[in-house]
Amino acid sequence: MASLPYIVGNWKMNGTRASLSEARAIDRGAARLPKVQVAIAPPATLLHRTREAVELIGIGGQDCHAKDSGAFTGDISAAMLKDAGADFTIVGHSERRTLHAETDADVRAKAEAALGAGLAVILCVGETEGERDAGNAESVVGGQLEGSCPHSDGAVDKLTVAYEPVWAIGTGRVPSVDDVAAMHKAIRAKLVSIYGEAGAGVRILYGGSVKAENASELLSIRDVGGALVGGASLTAESFLAIVGAAAALEDN
Ligand code: PGA
C-alpha cells in the first residue's frame, strides 16, 4: 500500500499532566522516523495540553458522542474534541462496545458525527474468543463493518479501520500470522463491497498486544497498514520501539 504505516497509541484511561513528557518524547522520536505516521489518543482531559506539547504527531479522542451538544452528562461531542485540538477520534473500541453496550448503529452514528465535525475516524472491530472458537470471527467482523461503517459524504477518505480481536487486547496473546492475514483480507473485501473501489485504499490497522517484539512480524502482513497500540503506547520508549520497527520495514 502506498500510504505510510500508521502507528497509533491508545492511552485509554491513563495519563495526567505528568504524561505530557512522554507525549513530547514520542513527538521528538517520531520526527526522526518520517517514514511512519504517528498519533496518540490521550484521555480527553489531556487533549488540549497534548496539542500544545507536540508539533508533529496526530492527536485524537478515544470516543465521542453522536450528538453535537445537549443534556448528556459526562459525554464529549466530536466538535468538542476538534475544539480541544483533536485530528481524529477512535470509535467502536471493544471496551466501549462491551462496557458501555455500544451497538453497531451507535458506533456508526458516532463515526458520522466525528466526520461531520471534521475529524478523521479510527473504527474498531474485532471478535471475542468464543466467536473465533466457533468459527465465526470473519462473519462477526464483517457484520460489525456493515453496521458501523460511516456513510456520510467522503467518509471513506477519512476512515481507518482497526482490527482488534477482543481476546488479544491487553492479554499478551496475538493471533497467528495466517489468522491476521485472513482477517485483514476479509476486511479489505468487505470495505470494497461497502465503498466500492475506494474501499481498497482504507488503511487497516492491527491492534491487540502489539509490542516491539512482535511489531515487525505483524506489520509485514499484507493489508496490515499499521497498529493500534494500548499498553505499549504509555511510555515513549516502548511506543517508539514499535514506531522504529515500522520504520525499519519501510527501509527494507
Ligand atoms: P493493547 O491494547 O495493546 O494493550 O493490547 C490495544 C487496544 O485496545 O487498542
Side-chain angles (χ1 to χ4, degrees):
M1 194 177 301
S3 55
L4 297 178
Y6 189 24
I7 309 294
V8 183
N10 172 12
W11 284 10
K12 309 192 180 183
M13 198 172 73
N14 298 288
T16 57
R17 281 179 296 164
S19 320
L20 292 171
S21 58
E22 298 299 328
R24 276 191 210 95
I26 290 168
D27 192 56
R28 283 194 301 273
R32 292 193 293 272
L33 299 165
K35 290 182 181 165
V36 184
Q37 186 180 345
V38 179
I40 56 173
T45 46
L46 286 182
L47 267 177
H48 192 253
R49 283 173 186 271
T50 308
R51 175 85 284 159
E52 290 177 343
V54 305
E55 287 178 8
L56 176 81
I57 61 171
I59 302 294
Q62 301 172 7
D63 175 51
C64 68
H65 197 278
K67 293 275 193 321
D68 290 341
S69 61
F72 303 104
T73 302
D75 280 314
I76 298 174
S77 74
M80 290 169 180
L81 294 176
K82 176 84 178 164
D83 181 59
D87 306 303
F88 69 93
T89 187
I90 298 169
V91 295
H93 191 282
S94 71
E95 286 147 20
R96 301 291 316 177
R97 290 178 183 266
T98 307
L99 303 174
H100 297 266
E102 291 184 9
T103 65
D104 287 334
D106 294 331
V107 175
R108 175 177 168 180
K110 287 173 181 232
E112 291 178 353
L115 293 164
L119 297 173
V121 167
I122 298 177
L123 167 66
C124 301
V125 293
E127 82 286 357
T128 64
E129 186 161 34
E131 288 163 344
R132 175 158 287 276
D133 290 347
N136 296 331
E138 287 183 18
S139 63
V140 166
V141 168
Q144 289 173 337
L145 288 168
E146 266 164 27
S148 52
C149 275
H151 286 270
S152 24
D153 279 355
V156 68
D157 300 326
K158 299 197 79 181
L159 178 67
T160 297
V161 169
Y163 167 56
E164 298 205 304
V166 178
W167 52 274
I169 294 175
T171 60
R173 297 166 58 206
V174 291
S176 69
V177 167
D178 285 351
D179 284 345
V180 173
M183 182 61 85
H184 279 242
K185 187 174 176 203
I187 291 172
R188 173 69 64 217
K190 180 61 75 180
L191 289 170
V192 169
S193 90
I194 293 171
Y195 293 113
E197 261 318 296
V202 174
R203 226 162 3 186
I204 309 170
L205 313 181
Y206 169 79
S209 296
V210 178
K211 309 267 181 285
E213 300 75 52
N214 59 21
S216 299
E217 185 173 52
L218 289 162
L219 292 168
S220 302
I221 301 170
R222 189 181 159 83
D223 270 322
V224 174
L228 183 55
V229 184
S233 72
L234 293 176
T235 68
E237 189 184 5
S238 53
F239 190 52
L240 288 172
I242 295 168
V243 178
L249 289 173
E250 290 299 290
D251 286 336
N252 286 332

